[in-house]
Amino acid sequence: MIRSPSLLASAAVLATLATPAPAQDADPGAIVALQFAVSGDHKGVRASGAKGVCLKGSFTPAPDAASLSKAPQFSKAAPDKAVPVTARFSMGGGNPKISDKTKPTTRGFAMRLADPAGDMTFVVISAPVFSTRTPAQLLEFLQVRAPGPDGKPDAEKVKAFAAKNPETGRQAAWLNARPVPASFAGTDYWAVHTYTLTNAKGEATKAKLKFVAADKATLSDEELKAKPDSFYADELKERLARGPARFDLVAILAEPNDPTTDATAAWPEEERKTRTLGTLAITAIEPDATCDAATFDPVVDMPEGIAGPADDPMFAIRSPAYAVSLSRRSN
Ligand code: HEM
């Protein structure tokens, strides 16, 4: 299902029906309003991922992917039956003029793997963790960063919040400890939440999902300095003219004590067993309009055989939040 603005009235209801969401501890509309406020209230853009590039490609499942999930996208064996994909790379946040050189900001990757029986949608980032554990914590994270009367956030409030909520610093620390990607296609992306994969026998497997870039590329501090503020879109055009940008979709399998409802908690993935579910090939740039007409909704737009965590409040709230952003940017 692709959601258009005309379907917005039913969007929140749909999300509730599709996902037995836990009681939300913060209003999605209030969160999205603050996301816009923090990044300068730009008009006609997403509350996050405002600067980005729309793409197309295809997904080819691994021969044994169906043993983990009965989703149709994982059972099309022949390469000529590859699943069509619409996708979008983006910079985190609601500022459409953000520099591609920004370090402590996630790069985003949204994608829809189309199938008549139900699209499979992932909206993933270039870090293994999200910045907050609950919607209420996200609301406060944004409140302290909202500009005050002088146009700037109150640095003392930001510091006090960080001291009281240390897990909210993990994402920025992770990004700051690594070089900036040289390309949207040169970095790995994580779905962050824990997914449940269910096969045709009804056997369930819990896993985190990661898109592993075939051609990783980073910039040294010196190389970064020499770059203009916007270089990802041109780099991508040149890269795709040479051939597809590929990612393996890897399932990192949970062990019994791994946290499954906390988006700020990474698993020691080098110590976990993995299974490759397939390969995504990004082949060409698409007009923005192809990506802008609807949201990529990772909560509702999933076929049977794969589901995000209904008991992770950060997952459930994404659907109504994305719908609010779509409604605002479409008006
Ligand atoms: C692990 C958690 C999350 C990840 C990985 C994530 C990632 C992303 C990415 C990559 C985009 C850009 C999508 C595109 O290109 O169309 C996006 C958009 C957005 N995100 Fe998230 N996000 C997460 C959680 C949240 C939460 C908890 C909220 C708010 C409660 C939120 C609010 C938004 C909004 C409002 C948009 C704009 C949607 C639109 O206008 O289409 N995100 N997110």
Side-chain angles (χ1 to χ4, degrees):
M1 184 198 74
I2 297 177
R3 183 178 306 157
S4 67
S6 60
L7 292 174
L8 277 175
S10 60
V13 178
L14 251 177
T16 319
L17 289 177
T19 319
Q24 279 160 6
D25 60 356
D27 173 42
I31 292 177
V32 174
L34 277 166
Q35 286 181 305
F36 279 115
V38 163
S39 39
D41 266 326
H42 298 276
K43 302 289 169 235
V45 299
R46 290 163 174 74
S48 185
K51 182 182 187 183
V53 186
C54 187
L55 311 148
K56 71 174 175 188
S58 64
F59 176 79
T60 307
D64 60 348
S67 67
L68 278 181
S69 167
K70 64 181 174 188
Q73 286 82 348
F74 293 137
S75 56
K76 298 194 185 305
D80 60 331
K81 287 198 188 153
V83 181
V85 173
T86 303
R88 188 170 178 270
F89 285 128
S90 60
M91 291 294 292
N95 177 3
K97 297 198 179 114
I98 186 172
S99 170
D100 295 348
K101 295 155 78 158
T102 313
K103 200 168 210 188
T105 291
T106 50
R107 277 69 186 153
F109 193 9
M111 69 197 80
R112 190 179 294 119
L113 283 53
D115 187 274
D119 294 346
M120 183 184 285
T121 304
F122 296 112
V123 183
V124 300
I125 49 173
S126 62
V129 289
F130 195 62
S131 50
T132 58
R133 184 180 281 159
T134 65
Q137 192 180 47
L138 177 57
L139 189 76
E140 207 183 333
F141 179 94
L142 293 165
Q143 271 163 347
V144 298
R145 285 167 172 75
D150 63 349
K152 290 184 199 150
D154 181 334
E156 286 309 311
K157 278 193 194 162
V158 174
K159 226 163 106 184
F161 175 81
K164 230 175 75 191
N165 301 272
E167 67 277 11
T168 62
R170 284 183 199 149
Q171 186 189 80
W174 194 93
L175 292 164
N176 277 325
R178 287 166 175 78
V180 163
S183 165
F184 273 138
T187 187
D188 297 342
Y189 292 84
W190 285 259
V192 176
H193 306 286
T194 305
Y195 283 75
T196 302
L197 304 168
T198 308
N199 66 16
K201 290 187 219 155
E203 295 160 339
T205 306
K206 287 208 187 285
K208 291 220 184 197
L209 303 177
K210 180 177 177 181
F211 289 85
V212 178
D215 185 13
K216 287 202 226 320
T218 55
L219 295 169
S220 67
D221 287 348
E222 280 304 298
E223 289 168 326
L224 189 65
K225 256 189 228 154
K227 290 280 181 196
D229 281 324
S230 290
F231 62 94
Y232 281 155
D234 287 344
E235 192 279 343
L236 205 56
K237 216 183 270 172
E238 284 161 27
R239 177 182 286 254
L240 296 179
R242 296 195 301 271
R246 293 184 202 281
F247 294 82
D248 278 342
L249 171 53
V250 174
I252 302 162
L253 308 185
E255 295 211 346
N257 293 324
D258 287 335
T260 56
T261 58
D262 180 355
T264 66
W267 298 349
E269 54 184 74
E270 324 69 49
E271 297 166 23
R272 294 290 172 268
K273 290 192 182 115
T274 60
R275 289 273 304 275
T276 300
L277 293 170
T279 303
L280 177 69
I282 296 297
T283 51
I285 292 175
E286 278 279 295
D288 285 345
T290 306
C291 286
D292 292 351
T295 57
F296 291 92
D297 186 328
V299 182
V300 174
D301 291 340
M302 274 296 181
E304 279 188 38
I306 177 167
D311 51 355
D312 175 350
M314 289 307 288
F315 183 68
I317 200 173
R318 292 177 69 180
S319 185
Y322 289 27
V324 172
S325 172
L326 175 62
S327 145
R328 188 162 154 167
R329 67 184 158 86
S330 308
N331 287 321

